[in-house]
Amino acid sequence: MKNKLQYILLLCLCMLAQYSYAQYNILLNGQWQFADADDTIWRSATVPGTVHTDLMGHQLIPDPFVGMNEKAVAWVDKKDWIYRRNVEISADFINHDVITLNMAQLDTYADVYVNGQLVLKSDNMFVGQTVNVKQWLHTGQNEVRVYFHSPVRYDMQRFLQDRLVYPAGNDASDIPLSIYARKAPYHYGWDWGPRLVTSGISGNISLVASDGTRIENIWLQQQSLTDKSATVNAVITFETARAGKYTVKVASRNDAFSPVIVKQQLEAGSQQVIIPVRIKDPVRWWPNGLGDPFLYTIDVTVNDGSGDVAGERLDIGLRTIEVVNKPDSLGESFYVKVNGKPVFMKGANYIPLDNFAPRVTHHQYEQLFNNMKASHFNMVRVWGGGAYEKDIFYDLADRNGILVWQDFMFACTVYPSDTAFLENVKKEAEYNIKRLRNHPSLALWCGNNEVAVAIKNWGWRNGYGYSDMQWNTLLSGYDTLFKSLLPQQVHTLDAGRFYFHSSPISNWGRKEDFTKGDNHYWGVWHGMEWFESFNTHVPRFMSEYGFQSFPDIHTIKSFAGEKDRDIYSPVMLSHQKSGNRGNAAISTYLDHYYREPKDFESLLYVGQVLQADGMRIGIEAHRRNMPYCMGTLYWQLNDCWPGPSWSGIDYYGRWKALQYFVKKAFEPVIVSNVVDNGKLQTWLITDVPQDQPVTLDMQLLDLEGKVLWQQSVKDVRLTGAESKLRHEIAVSEILKGQDEQKVIFYTKVVKKGKLLTENVYYFANARTMELPDPGIQTKVIVDTSSNSVVKNETYIPGSYQKEVLYEEEKKMPHKNNVADSGNAVSLSKTLNITLSADRLARNVYLLLSNMPESQFSDNYFDLLPGRTVTVTVQVPSKISLEEIQKQLKIISLRDTFKN
């Protein structure tokens, strides 16, 4: 009965992405046992999972995310671990032609046994494994056992053979071993995350039985695309156990084309069949903000004459993507064309959502993409120090119109280049290229993060004392891996997709660097240059830049007690992974732009405003300089644990001030103000043409709202994706003797009487401004029209998302995420919070002190004198309005200063 339920469950899971037909599956997810290889005391375990989360489940180790516990669990990665479970096999099941053991992910050095027989040795976390195990199975009880070797002890042997220290500066160990392991580099530590070197069955695992033949892979290769027709080749790879005549059918559930049926002789072994299909009047897939990310659903079935024996269902999108990276009159371009149109890329760099990735739920991925879409993203970079993401990540990118810049998993160090290592990487590249190439969201492949620029600029040769022979070997190995092996794999397996060997193409130290390709500008932060440098250091494509902040008090409470609430306390320092620079840089910039905060919570708030406003300057500069600059991907979107970092969304899914600012700065139409050579410039930037003319209104206001100067530009035509200077005036002329510390410049764009976008420009830093008591008035009411019964719902600014919990996730331990809080089914209500002020209220911040799951529709915003703003938040309906008003904290920047 248990196996039958598992079979039904796996079929339900298959319905989410692709359909299986006459394959019989036993899902092995769920309850296993695990043991330390040295004592073999067996305890219950959860698969998919990690040894760390299983140990936490038995309270054998503390939560490494809390306090300073990270160091207390360091012993775990020095041990070998064993996982086992029994599975009942029926006579009917074992009579099938082929029975494979399918393992989506083994982390990392694993020996797999079936009934005591070694069937597989795996040494790459990034390669899913499939092995035919029929000959070792029997009816009745069977044991599957996986022995995980300590990645630290395993790779120490290789270091002792090489006796070469690689320049993996982010590996938080005296001897960096991460370069040997084809395993997520961030597991070994980074400057925003802990060192937690995991082991375990971290992906789905199942026994799959098939008869006759099975589909090994389908590549839906777009051959041509015009407005009238599209041609797609279905390149199908079969693994056949029983040679014979089979009927292969390719059909569209959208009725996009008539089914194509081919009778094919399949021989035993591996064989490829190509079936072309033609789609009339194709609907194109578009990125977010430019159109509908339309998907066609394709069914491929195989029939042996008695019934369907194999099949899959896939979604594809029809579009053309071209990355233009070539010399031009300004230097060297780098931009993306979608369906023939140059598109300005707006997005961020993504890292894994958790150090213990198996506990990330499907809903958390959905929330992630809802956040991206709400923030007007059209691209996300899957950064090379993390991991190739799960299928659901790319499925959601397809559905939401988010283009994916996909790094191969190499970052910030050179790597071995021996034959065994290169062969392992070749298998990794083949597996992941084949897995991802059907996704219309996949825009490009990049060989690594920052290795090429580091070789030239980071002083590795002298800093690590390499001999000429060692250095030349490392350089030669770089060329072999990134300029030969990986591009050859992309060309062979994903022909036509753009590949370049390393990001960034240019460094940030010289002026000419900003004319060539993509750039990681770290002059702000690492170079300690002020935020205004973003206005002058604009590259052709900005693929990394950032600034740190601390998370809010709710997240701080998850890992630090009251006595720890000082950024220099041992606990807070243990979560600050940016070394000596982190807190010092935040303090230096904060002291330059703001006044000293009066207490710890004020410091958290001002630090977030500091980060947000600095990054806004950068985003607006990049967009103003379109088409010279054609992309802005900030560092970083999210966190893998709670602590200070460059993220806009923290570990629990809470929006920092940065994410609210990004949402506004990424809007399809924005107005941007900047002072250049003594002149105040006002620019209008748009991603898409507007069907009606707009009006640009500009006002100089004092802090009580009095209009000192105003002007309008009417009938402005926004005819396409463009950035244009619409107004310019000398600062001295507009101020006319007014104190710049006591005035603001307010601009807004109105379309048919409706506010389209607005912006506030400050002539002086907040540090020097005498901000008045704003006199904020607040009214809180329940929006009765929005009350409803929901299932684990969370409000996400700009969207409203319901959770669908998959069965396997119900059993898994996972973080107390904002998205996972609340009862399974509960009543919710939406509150409308209306605010007004008599005088300028800068960076108004709302917080519900006892509701860490609450998320406001807007926050950290400027409230102008005499204006009214309504903010919404969703709360459990059982909470009274009186209780809400007690918990509701509203402050502005003025309230946080010490003096």
Side-chain angles (χ1 to χ4, degrees):
M1 178 65 181
K2 184 177 180 181
N3 285 345
K4 183 177 180 181
L5 290 173
Q6 290 174 327
Y7 165 71
I8 294 171
L9 171 57
L10 188 58
L11 287 181
C12 292
L13 292 172
C14 289
M15 290 173 65
L16 300 172
Q18 60 183 25
Y19 281 63
S20 293
Y21 290 78
Q23 293 180 342
Y24 301 89
N25 309 315
I26 300 176
L27 183 65
L28 300 182
N29 290 3
Q31 289 301 306
W32 285 56
Q33 291 182 315
F34 82 115
D36 179 340
D38 292 330
D39 62 28
T40 60
I41 298 173
W42 293 100
R43 298 177 173 90
S44 61
T46 300
V47 170
T50 71
V51 67
H52 286 80
T53 48
D54 287 328
L55 289 167
M56 278 191 281
H58 288 278
Q59 299 183 330
L60 295 173
I61 61 171
D63 186 342
F65 288 8
V66 175
M68 300 173 67
N69 291 339
E70 175 193 353
K71 299 295 184 184
V73 305
W75 61 271
V76 176
D77 63 32
K78 316 299 189 298
K79 306 284 286 184
D80 293 354
W81 300 92
I82 310 171
Y83 280 72
R84 73 178 186 186
R85 73 157 290 167
N86 289 331
V87 56
E88 177 95 15
I89 302 294
S90 68
D92 288 342
F93 189 85
I94 209 165
N95 284 333
H96 292 289
D97 291 344
V98 175
I99 303 174
T100 58
L101 180 61
N102 294 2
M103 297 154 284
Q105 189 173 83
L106 297 173
D107 178 15
T108 289
Y109 297 114
D111 302 335
V112 182
Y113 297 84
V114 174
N115 292 326
Q117 175 65 46
L118 178 65
V119 299
L120 176 73
K121 293 179 74 71
S122 180
D123 61 355
N124 194 318
M125 174 182 173
F126 303 131
V127 178
Q129 303 287 357
T130 299
V131 58
N132 189 350
V133 296
K134 178 177 177 176
Q135 61 181 308
W136 295 296
L137 295 173
H138 51 72
T139 56
Q141 289 292 312
N142 293 256
E143 184 192 63
V144 179
R145 182 181 292 231
V146 185
Y147 187 105
F148 289 98
H149 299 270
S150 158
V152 172
R153 287 164 51 189
Y154 189 95
D155 285 326
M156 183 63 73
Q157 301 171 40
R158 302 167 74 177
F159 168 75
L160 294 174
Q161 292 173 357
D162 286 357
R163 295 199 172 275
L164 180 71
V165 176
Y166 284 80
N170 286 293
D171 188 321
S173 175
D174 293 337
I175 302 174
L177 300 174
S178 56
I179 51 92
Y180 294 110
R182 292 316 299 147
K183 171 177 173 60
Y186 81 108
H187 287 175
Y188 295 82
W190 219 270
D191 59 0
W192 35 256
R195 177 185 171 89
L196 294 166
V197 187
T198 56
S199 292
I201 304 171
S202 46
N204 293 328
I205 180 169
S206 60
L207 286 168
V208 180
S210 59
D211 290 315
T213 190
R214 61 186 173 89
I215 296 173
E216 180 70 16
N217 183 264
I218 300 175
W219 181 12
L220 297 175
Q221 187 180 26
Q222 182 179 298
Q223 298 295 300
S224 64
L225 175 62
T226 68
D227 291 340
K228 293 183 177 180
S229 69
T231 302
V232 176
N233 280 350
V235 183
I236 309 167
T237 302
F238 294 97
E239 285 292 334
T240 303
R242 204 185 318 139
K245 280 276 189 183
Y246 292 86
T247 300
V248 185
K249 178 181 176 182
V250 181
S252 165
R253 292 184 64 83
N254 309 73
D255 296 323
F257 56 87
S258 299
V260 180
I261 300 172
V262 174
K263 295 187 181 297
Q264 182 72 40
Q265 174 68 32
L266 295 179
E267 305 299 335
S270 182
Q271 186 173 340
Q272 193 175 88
V273 175
I274 300 176
I275 301 175
V277 298
R278 184 171 176 269
I279 300 172
K280 293 182 179 179
D281 303 319
V283 180
R284 294 179 187 247
W285 182 96
W286 286 97
N288 182 38
L290 296 182
D292 181 27
F294 184 83
L295 296 173
Y296 289 90
T297 300
I298 308 298
D299 285 340
V300 178
T301 55
V302 186
N303 191 293
D304 68 352
S306 61
D308 290 344
V309 296
E312 288 190 13
R313 175 173 294 171
L314 305 95
D315 289 334
I316 63 164
L318 301 175
R319 83 289 178 270
T320 61
I321 293 182
E322 180 185 0
V323 179
V324 182
N325 176 218
K326 61 185 180 182
D328 62 11
S329 61
L330 301 173
E332 181 183 320
S333 67
F334 194 101
Y335 64 95
V336 180
K337 292 173 69 175
V338 182
N339 295 323
K341 297 182 179 181
V343 179
F344 187 94
M345 293 291 108
K346 301 180 296 185
N349 290 262
Y350 166 83
I351 66 171
L353 287 168
D354 201 315
N355 267 83
F356 306 124
R359 67 182 179 180
V360 178
T361 66
H362 282 73
H363 174 64
Q364 286 168 250
Y365 283 113
E366 291 168 350
Q367 183 188 20
L368 176 77
F369 276 90
N370 284 337
N371 286 334
M372 283 192 260
K373 192 170 183 180
S375 300
H376 309 290
F377 280 31
N378 55 24
M379 176 173 272
V380 63
R381 178 186 178 212
V382 180
W383 169 78
Y388 307 97
E389 266 298 343
K390 299 175 185 176
D391 291 341
I392 188 175
F393 181 96
Y394 303 96
D395 290 340
L396 288 167
D398 294 343
R399 295 175 208 163
N400 288 282
I402 308 297
L403 291 166
V404 176
W405 166 323
Q406 180 67 55
D407 282 0
F408 286 97
M409 291 301 117
F410 301 92
C412 301
T413 181
V414 285
Y415 290 85
S417 57
D418 57 273
T419 302
F421 185 87
L422 293 175
E423 186 59 32
N424 200 0
V425 171
K426 184 177 181 180
K427 293 176 182 177
E428 171 188 323
E430 178 182 3
Y431 175 80
N432 286 287
I433 292 171
K434 287 182 176 180
R435 183 169 69 94
L436 303 182
R437 63 189 176 185
N438 283 326
H439 289 280
S441 58
L442 183 61
L444 64 88
W445 295 98
C446 179
N448 66 70
N449 175 73
E450 296 185 346
V451 183
V453 75
I455 288 172
K456 295 179 180 179
N457 298 284
W458 291 9
W460 282 347
R461 179 173 184 175
N462 294 329
Y464 285 84
Y466 296 125
S467 68
D468 289 345
M469 180 178 294
Q470 288 173 327
W471 187 242
N472 290 333
T473 299
L474 292 173
L475 296 183
S476 175
Y478 178 92
D479 289 345
T480 300
L481 177 54
F482 298 112
K483 296 183 180 180
S484 179
L485 188 155
L486 289 177
Q488 286 176 7
Q489 289 293 96
V490 172
H491 178 72
T492 301
L493 301 171
D494 196 14
R497 194 94 58 184
F498 180 80
Y499 169 90
F500 68 125
H501 66 90
S502 186
S503 175
I505 291 172
S506 59
N507 196 36
W508 56 266
R510 300 173 303 166
K511 184 177 181 179
E512 55 266 33
D513 288 329
F514 293 87
T515 67
K516 299 177 182 179
D518 76 310
N519 189 281
H520 296 183
Y521 174 55
W522 285 104
V524 172
W525 185 262
H526 289 299
M528 297 300 291
E529 298 171 0
W530 300 128
F531 292 135
E532 289 75 19
S533 297
F534 282 133
N535 290 324
T536 54
H537 293 68
V538 178
R540 309 302 299 275
F541 191 109
M542 187 74 92
S543 48
E544 271 193 33
Y545 62 106
F547 194 87
Q548 264 203 8
S549 71
F550 296 94
D552 73 11
I553 190 61
H554 288 311
T555 296
I556 295 292
K557 288 178 179 178
S558 75
F559 69 85
E562 284 194 33
K563 63 181 177 59
D564 304 313
R565 290 173 195 168
D566 181 311
I567 64 171
Y568 291 101
S569 73
V571 167
M572 291 296 294
L573 286 175
S574 74
H575 284 248
Q576 172 55 273
K577 296 301 181 179
S578 187
N580 295 327
R581 180 173 302 280
N583 288 357
I586 293 173
S587 298
T588 300
Y589 281 82
L590 191 149
D591 185 61
H592 179 75
Y593 289 101
Y594 295 89
R595 298 185 185 183
E596 182 182 356
K598 65 183 181 182
D599 54 31
F600 180 73
E601 288 194 37
S602 296
L603 174 61
L604 302 181
Y605 158 83
V606 178
Q608 287 200 22
V609 172
L610 171 74
Q611 176 198 33
D613 204 49
M615 295 295 285
R616 175 196 60 79
I617 292 172
I619 293 171
E620 289 188 15
H622 305 153
R623 295 193 69 184
R624 280 198 309 271
N625 282 275
M626 181 176 68
Y628 176 83
C629 175
M630 283 299 288
T632 180
L633 307 179
Y634 64 91
W635 185 271
Q636 66 201 71
L637 175 59
N638 62 295
D639 284 328
C640 65
W641 86 321
S645 80
W646 294 262
S647 72
I649 302 173
D650 78 12
Y651 172 71
Y652 293 102
R654 299 183 183 110
W655 282 33
K656 296 182 181 179
L658 171 59
Q659 204 60 35
Y660 288 99
F661 278 46
V662 164
K663 180 184 176 184
K664 294 172 183 176
F666 277 179
E667 285 177 347
V669 178
I670 66 166
V671 56
S672 175
N673 305 293
V674 64
V675 171
D676 187 25
N677 292 322
K679 293 184 177 181
L680 176 60
Q681 299 179 341
T682 299
W683 295 70
L684 287 186
I685 303 106
T686 180
D687 293 332
V688 293
Q690 297 296 306
D691 56 356
Q692 297 287 335
V694 302
T695 297
L696 170 64
D697 291 327
M698 300 166 286
Q699 293 180 325
L700 185 73
L701 305 172
D702 68 15
L703 303 188
E704 294 187 352
K706 181 180 179 182
V707 178
L708 305 173
W709 175 96
Q710 63 182 344
Q711 190 168 325
S712 295
V713 180
K714 301 183 182 298
D715 294 323
V716 178
R717 297 283 176 172
L718 304 178
T719 57
E722 61 184 13
S723 172
K724 284 188 177 181
L725 177 63
R726 299 293 181 170
H727 186 264
E728 185 175 48
I729 185 172
V731 173
S732 58
E733 181 181 344
I734 192 173
L735 290 180
K736 290 185 178 180
Q738 295 286 340
D739 187 345
E740 66 176 13
Q741 300 175 22
K742 297 180 179 180
V743 294
I744 62 173
F745 185 62
Y746 174 66
T747 50
K748 65 180 180 180
V749 177
V750 177
K751 176 181 174 181
K752 297 179 69 174
K754 182 179 179 182
L755 179 67
L756 199 60
T757 185
E758 61 184 341
N759 207 336
V760 177
Y761 179 80
Y762 292 90
F763 296 92
N765 290 340
R767 177 181 178 81
T768 61
M769 292 185 69
E770 290 295 338
L771 295 173
D773 180 352
I776 298 176
Q777 297 98 44
T778 307
K779 182 179 181 182
V780 182
I781 63 172
V782 177
D783 183 354
T784 55
S785 64
S786 65
N787 289 358
S788 60
V789 178
V790 299
K791 181 180 178 181
N792 274 11
E793 289 186 334
T794 293
Y795 185 81
I796 302 164
S799 68
Y800 195 69
Q801 175 63 39
K802 291 186 179 180
E803 178 174 15
V804 179
L805 280 177
Y806 295 84
E807 291 297 322
E808 78 274 21
E809 293 173 347
K810 292 180 181 177
K811 304 173 184 177
M812 290 188 58
H814 55 267
K815 65 191 183 189
N816 182 21
N817 191 280
V818 173
D820 300 312
S821 59
N823 299 320
V825 176
S826 62
L827 287 170
S828 72
K829 61 186 176 188
T830 298
L831 301 181
N832 293 334
I833 304 172
T834 302
L835 304 100
S836 61
D838 299 326
R839 291 161 291 279
L840 173 69
R842 190 164 178 182
N843 302 120
V844 175
Y845 173 55
L846 298 89
L847 177 76
L848 288 170
S849 57
N850 295 326
M851 291 188 197
E853 71 278 8
S854 59
Q855 192 95 359
F856 294 89
S857 59
D858 197 8
N859 221 336
Y860 305 92
F861 53 87
D862 291 342
L863 181 57
L864 271 58
R867 311 294 169 89
T868 299
V869 171
T870 299
V871 176
T872 62
V873 64
Q874 193 177 36
V875 299
S877 60
K878 63 182 180 181
I879 305 294
S880 69
L881 198 57
E882 182 181 11
E883 177 61 26
I884 292 293
Q885 290 170 331
K886 286 180 181 178
Q887 290 193 35
L888 183 61
K889 174 183 177 182
I890 301 175
I891 61 171
S892 66
L893 188 61
R894 179 185 186 273
D895 303 315
T896 64
F897 292 157
K898 191 171 185 179
N899 50 53

